[in-house]
Amino acid sequence: MFTIYHDFIINTSKEKVFEAVSTPEGLNNWWTLNSKGNPALGETFNLYFGEEYDWYTEITKFSKDKEIEFKTTIAMQEWLPTSFGFKLTEVKPSETYVRFYHKDWTEISQEYRQASFCWADLLRQMKQYLEKGIITPFEQRS
């Protein structure tokens, strides 16, 4: 199995970062078109990117303001059965170290490579959203 990793610092509190990666409103501001779900262990999240990409995940790890992991349950074939998550560590009161991963890829395929690139760009957009309040319109996101 293969894993995508991205580690970076966001200049805001871990509580704000956790909200951005665990709530529908937070996810909609940098990734999804419209997501729905309750941020809690075992809950189902709908990650909606349009009719063709109406995906579902289950929260398999959850520690408020510290860690969240989503296991993909309905998505394009290559994303099954991958999981992605965020581990947060407070460096300073307004500085958070983010360790992102997307694991359990069966091969280093074209989709894996594209996902790695897209995650890097989307995580950069999340950083801009949290640090500067910039929300990239959904149609312009990778």
Side-chain angles (χ1 to χ4, degrees):
M1 296 293 193
F2 301 95
T3 304
I4 296 167
Y5 295 103
H6 294 292
D7 293 5
F8 56 101
I9 297 281
I10 294 183
N11 294 309
T12 194
S13 70
K14 67 179 183 171
E15 292 82 10
K16 288 183 180 177
V17 177
F18 193 77
E19 182 179 315
V21 301
S22 67
T23 66
E25 180 182 1
L27 292 168
N28 292 344
N29 284 331
W30 65 273
W31 187 30
T32 54
L33 175 60
N34 185 26
S35 63
K36 296 177 185 170
N38 180 34
L41 187 63
E43 292 289 321
T44 297
F45 245 79
N46 175 219
L47 305 173
Y48 184 80
F49 304 94
E51 286 184 35
E52 193 175 334
Y53 300 97
D54 188 11
W55 295 0
Y56 287 83
T57 63
E58 177 187 348
I59 298 176
T60 52
K61 291 183 182 178
F62 185 87
S63 180
K64 186 161 175 47
D65 299 332
K66 295 179 184 175
E67 179 178 19
I68 190 164
E69 180 180 275
F70 299 86
K71 181 176 176 67
T72 308
T73 57
I74 298 174
M76 67 182 354
Q77 185 62 39
E78 287 189 301
W79 279 56
L80 300 172
T82 66
S83 296
F84 58 91
F86 300 83
K87 294 180 181 182
L88 310 178
T89 306
E90 184 176 76
V91 178
K92 297 177 186 172
S94 61
E95 193 174 284
T96 303
Y97 182 63
V98 179
R99 290 182 295 153
F100 168 83
Y101 61 90
H102 190 164
K103 66 181 186 175
D104 297 332
W105 290 84
T106 58
E107 63 179 316
I108 299 178
S109 63
Q110 183 64 31
E111 180 59 30
Y112 170 92
R113 292 173 182 274
Q114 184 175 346
S116 180
F117 177 83
C118 288
W119 275 123
D121 190 46
L122 289 163
L123 295 169
R124 178 191 57 80
Q125 291 175 60
M126 180 180 76
K127 181 176 169 70
Q128 287 184 325
Y129 155 61
L130 289 168
E131 291 181 348
K132 300 175 183 174
I134 298 170
I135 298 174
T136 303
F138 178 78
E139 301 76 31
Q140 296 175 18
R141 299 178 199 162
S142 295

